[in-house]
Amino acid sequence: MAYDDDNVFARILRGEIPCKKVYEDEQVLAFHDINPQAPTHVLVVPKGKYVSMDDFTAKASDAEIAGLFRAIGRIARDFGAEKTGYRILANSGAHAHQEVAHLHVHIFAGRPLGPMLVRR
Ligand code: 5GP
C-alpha cells in the first residue's frame, strides 16, 4: 500500500491537527489516543512515512527502529507503567483492523488489561 500524506497521523505530525503530546524526539511523536481504551492509552508514531509495521521493518533504518522502541520503553516508564505492567500493540493490515495507515504503536496501561485477543 502506498503511503497517503493525508492520513490523520501525518496531519498531526505536520501540526495541522492538534494532539495531546506526551513525548517527542528526533524519531517519534507520542500523544494520547483520542478514544482511550485504558486509563493510559498513548500512541507512539515514527516521524518517517511508514504505512505499517511491515513497511517499517522492511524499510526503516536501524536508528529509526531503535528510536521507536527506546521511546516506547521510556514513555511507559514516564507513566510508571512498568510497575504494574502494560501492553503494546501495533495493528498491521486488514486482519488486524488497522484504521490509520501510518505505523503507530499503542501503549495501554493503568488497569488489568484482560486477555490478549478476543477469545473464540
Ligand atoms: P488502529 O486501529 O489503526 O490500530 O488505531 C487507530 C487509533 O487512532 C485508534 O485508537 C483511534 O482512537 C486513534 N485516532 C484516530 N484518529 C485520531 C486523532 O485524530 N487523534 C488521536 N489522538 N487519535 C486518533
Side-chain angles (χ1 to χ4, degrees):
M1 184 201 288
Y3 184 83
D4 174 7
D5 274 313
D6 283 333
N7 77 74
V8 69
F9 294 163
R11 298 189 67 199
I12 287 174
L13 284 165
R14 291 196 297 268
E16 295 169 5
I17 296 177
C19 72
K20 289 169 69 180
K21 181 163 81 173
V22 301
Y23 177 77
E24 183 170 15
D25 64 22
E26 191 185 334
Q27 304 286 6
V28 309
L29 177 67
F31 47 88
H32 291 283
D33 195 291
I34 204 166
N35 183 23
Q37 304 299 311
T40 298
H41 184 174
V42 171
L43 301 172
V44 189
V45 176
K47 289 185 173 176
K49 296 180 179 184
Y50 300 105
V51 173
S52 65
M53 186 61 83
D54 177 63
D55 194 24
F56 185 68
T57 52
K59 297 179 190 160
S61 68
D62 289 355
E64 289 175 296
I65 293 171
L68 176 65
F69 282 90
R70 290 278 187 208
I72 290 166
R74 176 179 174 155
I75 294 160
R77 284 189 293 279
D78 286 349
F79 280 89
E82 85 288 1
K83 297 188 185 79
T84 48
Y86 62 93
R87 179 171 294 155
I88 64 172
L89 175 73
N91 292 316
S92 192
H95 279 193
H97 212 274
Q98 181 180 0
E99 291 175 2
V100 180
H102 180 119
L103 173 63
H104 50 284
V105 177
H106 299 253
I107 303 175
F108 302 100
R111 65 166 171 79
L113 295 164
M116 186 172 67
L117 295 173
V118 174
R119 301 205 189 272
R120 291 171 180 268

